[in-house]
Amino acid sequence: LLDARHGQHAVVEARLGDGWFGAEDEGPFDAIHVACSVPTVPPALVKQLKEGGRLLLPLGPPTPQWQNLTVITKRRDGGFDATVIRPVRYVTM
């Protein structure tokens, strides 16, 4: 990946494991993408975001039902705002 703002390459790391807890030994992160649907926003992932960091995840019931692709943005107070992008179908966590 190229960080166009700085003309530098960015580091992307993939992990295998229980994504509900994220990477507690790393972070805080600018962005996290969850590649399977979850019924609620995982608190550990929000905690691991930087202020202003974004979490992209399919939020909603298990497949075969639809979920909402949602962007979570961490606020200064540690809470978050959620914006629904569109309906999607992802596999369930």
Side-chain angles (χ1 to χ4, degrees):
L1 294 176
L2 182 64
D3 184 339
R5 296 171 294 172
H6 305 290
Q8 301 172 352
H9 286 83
V11 175
V12 175
E13 180 179 323
R15 289 183 171 217
L16 178 63
D18 186 342
W20 186 261
F21 301 105
E24 295 173 312
D25 58 327
E26 300 286 338
F29 298 103
D30 294 312
I32 299 171
H33 171 242
V34 177
C36 54
S37 70
V38 292
T40 60
V41 177
L45 297 185
V46 175
K47 183 177 179 182
Q48 293 170 39
L49 288 172
K50 291 180 180 178
E51 177 186 323
R54 291 170 293 172
L55 171 62
L56 177 68
L57 72 167
L59 192 58
T63 304
Q65 295 180 334
W66 290 87
Q67 300 95 27
N68 288 313
L69 187 59
T70 305
V71 176
I72 302 297
T73 304
K74 187 171 182 179
R75 297 189 312 249
R76 176 174 286 171
D77 66 5
F80 63 86
D81 297 313
T83 304
V84 173
I85 304 300
R86 62 169 295 138
V88 292
R89 280 191 184 159
Y90 276 59
V91 296
T92 304
M93 183 182 279

